[in-house]
Amino acid sequence: MTDYEAVIGLETHIQLNTKTKIFCSCKADSWSDAPNTNICPVCSGLPGVLPVPNKAAIEKGMLLAAAMHAEIQPLSYFDRKNYFYPDLPKGYQISQYDMPLARGGYMQLPLPDGSVRQVSIHKLHIEEDAGKTKNENGLRLIDFNRCGVPLIEMVTGPDLRSADEAAQYLTRLRQLLRWLGVSEADMEKAHLRCDANVSIRPKGAAYLNPKTEIKNVNSIEAVREAVGKEIERQIREVEAGHKIEAWTLEWDEDAGVLRKMRSKETEADYRYFREPDLLPVRIHEEWKQKVLSKLPELPLERRNRFINQYGLPEYDADILTGDRSLSEYFETAVKTYSGDPKRVSNWLMNDVLRMLNESGLTADQLKLTPQFLAEIIKLVDAGTINNNTGKNLLEKVQQTGRPPAKLVEEEGLARVSDDSAIRSVCQEVLAESPKEVESYKSGKVTLIGWFVGQVMKKMRGKADPNIARKILEELLG
Ligand code: ZN
Ligand code: MN
């Protein structure tokens, strides 16, 4: 049996989060609106109307292009892509063809084995979305709300080598889109849509075999599953001596199977020509610089910097840069703390992340500011409060928004390390628990933890548990 490798390219459509649609002033996001309530003569294709380009859509496209290391073209054109389909009221889609907004580009995908996969992008163009059709009670229903929503289409080279890598690319792309603030990138709401081209070849070969195209994969997990199944199918076919045919397949999410669809139109069928109702898009240097000055440090760059500058493990760096506001939270906390960054990372990853997950807030919305977090860690380091009190304090600060030091003072949370105070509580606990003392003395020494717990309880968590343990052991001995 030969060893095979998969060759995968992904075509993505990204919904930009502009306020309005790309050529009219209808609002862009109509996810929760009733069908056909968010339309106007322009986006529903009535005769005699003229499109006006949305500057914000072009600027968001420029930001994404720069983040993908693509070259923004000083001159690009809109073209008509002609095809007939009920959800396309004009009979054509305004898109870009041979003169797109940006060319070239790549994303570097860090792989679990430590290597980096360079995923190339040939071009990146702007286009309008079409409407939606659905079958209901034997009727074909059409909703034009989505017509004219701004999209970026971006196609990768055949650079991905497994279903996992395809899923990872989408995860990183989604992270990047949110980081840049150009798309909500919610796959369930079709903000990020993906078609996958899949072929296989003997491992290490340089040529490409005929590929199949998988349509309508609407979640990252679905991409992983559908692509994985298609790779397995192609290997089975080739092993059985069959040829792979260039099918278009549809992923049926509920059944978890791929189905063969109609054959696809070829480029020539679309009869592309320049959109006569729109001027070319000219991006002069000054405009470009103004837009690109808003380009933040990118997630992968920040991830690598966290590893190098703060000595974080890759695992920590990945999680802390999973979200832009979390990464900024971390850096501010580290600066205020000015101690070991890994210590800040631990507090963040264990406690603050749980808080974020439970509340659904983003890091910048917490009342527990990064400065307050750093202050709490410092209080623990200085021995003013013990670790448990520190953890409880996180919640209290989050609830009240008050400075940790104030809360410690007001609620008398400072740690009691005075031996005699702890000693008298230890004696009290032992006197109240003759049964447990007996079991301890007859060999059940693990009870020490229970005794320490009782002392901590009586002292409302303010005792130093190590000192309490020492005193208890001494008394019991
Ligand atoms: Zn409209
Ligand atoms: Mn497209």
Side-chain angles (χ1 to χ4, degrees):
M1 217 175 110
T2 328
D3 257 349
Y4 298 95
E5 69 180 8
V7 180
I8 304 158
L10 297 181
E11 178 177 326
T12 45
H13 281 90
I14 297 148
Q15 178 175 329
L16 298 174
N17 59 355
T18 52
K19 283 200 185 74
T20 56
K21 292 184 179 179
I22 187 167
F23 299 123
C24 63
S25 55
C26 293
K27 69 180 196 293
D29 187 14
S30 57
W31 177 253
S32 49
D33 291 349
N36 299 308
T37 56
N38 183 43
I39 54 174
C40 72
V42 174
C43 57
S44 52
L46 297 189
V49 296
L50 287 172
V52 179
N54 181 343
K55 192 175 172 189
I58 295 170
E59 292 187 342
K60 282 177 191 267
M62 287 160 74
L63 265 184
L64 177 58
M68 293 300 292
H69 313 94
E71 212 161 303
I72 295 166
Q73 304 296 299
L75 177 65
S76 68
Y77 288 93
F78 286 107
D79 299 279
R80 287 190 184 180
K81 181 180 183 179
N82 299 278
Y83 63 98
F84 180 79
Y85 205 69
D87 64 11
L88 193 70
K90 296 197 296 292
Y92 58 85
Q93 176 192 29
I94 303 181
S95 181
Q96 295 190 297
Y97 186 49
D98 56 335
M99 297 282 276
L101 180 73
R103 288 178 191 281
Y106 61 88
M107 179 189 274
Q108 283 181 325
L109 204 59
L111 298 181
D113 68 357
S115 65
V116 172
R117 175 78 69 217
Q118 177 108 350
V119 185
S120 63
I121 303 293
H122 295 304
K123 63 167 199 169
L124 181 154
H125 74 244
I126 311 181
E127 60 186 27
E128 61 177 342
D129 206 349
K132 276 189 285 197
T133 63
K134 62 172 177 180
N135 292 310
E136 215 173 83
N137 306 324
L139 296 172
R140 185 80 158 158
L141 301 176
I142 305 170
D143 177 8
F144 287 154
N145 278 355
R146 218 173 60 187
C147 284
V149 166
L151 301 178
I152 294 287
E153 181 183 317
M154 208 163 68
V155 185
T156 77
D159 301 324
L160 298 157
R161 291 289 169 267
S162 69
D164 260 351
E165 286 185 24
Q168 277 209 44
Y169 171 79
L170 282 176
T171 307
R172 293 281 179 195
L173 177 60
R174 184 177 61 182
Q175 173 194 28
L176 178 67
L177 295 170
R178 291 176 177 167
W179 189 282
L180 296 171
V182 299
S183 172
E184 306 309 308
D186 187 342
M187 287 188 88
E188 272 174 25
K189 293 188 178 172
H191 295 154
L192 176 57
R193 281 167 259 166
C194 171
D195 301 332
N197 290 306
V198 181
S199 65
I200 57 163
R201 65 186 178 193
K203 212 170 204 134
Y207 58 86
L208 295 172
N209 278 322
K211 64 188 183 203
T212 55
E213 185 178 4
I214 309 173
K215 292 273 190 197
N216 298 332
V217 233
N218 294 326
S219 71
I220 291 175
E221 271 326 297
V223 168
R224 195 197 306 274
E225 206 184 334
V227 169
K229 286 199 169 159
E230 177 56 8
I231 294 169
E232 284 168 21
R233 186 192 69 88
Q234 291 193 13
I235 292 175
R236 276 199 309 274
E237 291 290 311
V238 171
E239 290 280 311
H242 302 148
K243 277 202 171 134
I244 301 299
E245 285 175 69
W247 289 345
T248 299
L249 303 164
E250 188 179 33
W251 175 245
D252 180 334
E253 178 121 41
D254 298 327
V257 292
L258 289 158
R259 292 211 176 85
K260 201 174 152 185
M261 286 173 85
R262 52 161 172 81
S263 69
K264 214 196 160 192
E265 290 88 352
T266 63
E267 296 266 287
D269 294 332
Y270 291 126
R271 302 167 352 266
Y272 279 99
F273 62 88
R274 292 269 183 265
E275 168 57 65
D277 289 341
L278 287 167
L279 290 167
V281 182
R282 285 183 201 280
I283 297 174
H284 49 79
E285 202 50 33
E286 200 186 327
W287 183 23
K288 188 165 118 181
Q289 289 316 323
K290 198 176 148 209
V291 172
L292 297 195
S293 67
K294 290 177 218 144
L295 191 69
E297 183 182 32
L298 300 176
L300 285 173
E301 292 166 6
R302 188 164 291 174
R303 167 192 183 270
N304 296 338
R305 184 167 62 74
F306 278 10
I307 294 169
N308 297 327
Q309 184 178 340
Y310 300 123
L312 291 185
E314 281 188 18
Y315 179 77
D316 293 38
D318 257 333
I319 291 180
L320 294 176
T321 57
D323 170 85
R324 187 166 157 191
S325 79
L326 183 63
S327 70
E328 280 159 7
Y329 187 104
F330 169 74
E331 283 215 282
T332 311
V334 166
K335 260 178 217 144
T336 318
Y337 175 62
S338 71
D340 179 10
K342 175 63 177 143
R343 192 152 161 70
V344 176
S345 170
N346 289 346
W347 278 75
L348 253 173
M349 306 238 300
N350 291 330
D351 305 286
V352 180
L353 267 189
R354 188 182 335 110
M355 199 180 270
L356 290 174
N357 289 337
E358 283 168 6
S359 63
L361 298 171
T362 53
D364 57 326
Q365 295 169 324
L366 287 179
K367 282 190 196 151
L368 174 72
T369 62
Q371 289 83 358
F372 285 166
L373 173 69
E375 206 184 302
I376 292 173
I377 308 175
K378 278 187 193 170
L379 287 169
V380 173
D381 286 354
T384 311
I385 54 175
N386 66 35
N387 209 51
N388 279 336
T389 307
K391 306 259 155 159
N392 293 334
L393 204 48
L394 294 173
E395 292 290 342
K396 280 193 183 126
V397 173
Q398 174 56 22
Q399 279 157 19
T400 61
R402 312 208 38 201
K406 274 259 154 56
L407 287 171
V408 168
E409 197 187 300
E410 286 169 8
E411 303 195 9
L413 298 173
R415 188 175 75 162
V416 179
S417 51
D418 170 14
D419 280 20
S420 63
I422 299 175
R423 181 172 290 266
S424 72
V425 176
C426 288
Q427 281 162 338
E428 228 174 87
V429 165
L430 295 182
E432 287 166 7
S433 336
K435 258 193 226 148
E436 285 79 4
V437 170
E438 196 146 314
S439 336
Y440 180 89
K441 288 191 169 162
S442 61
K444 206 177 168 207
V445 288
T446 49
L447 269 175
I448 192 72
W450 182 83
F451 287 119
V452 174
Q454 296 303 304
V455 172
M456 297 300 285
K457 211 180 197 174
K458 272 189 188 272
M459 301 192 74
R460 290 173 44 236
K462 292 185 294 181
D464 182 325
N466 291 324
I467 296 178
R469 173 182 288 262
K470 239 179 251 159
I471 294 173
L472 283 163
E473 278 170 349
E474 182 204 315
L475 292 172
L476 284 161

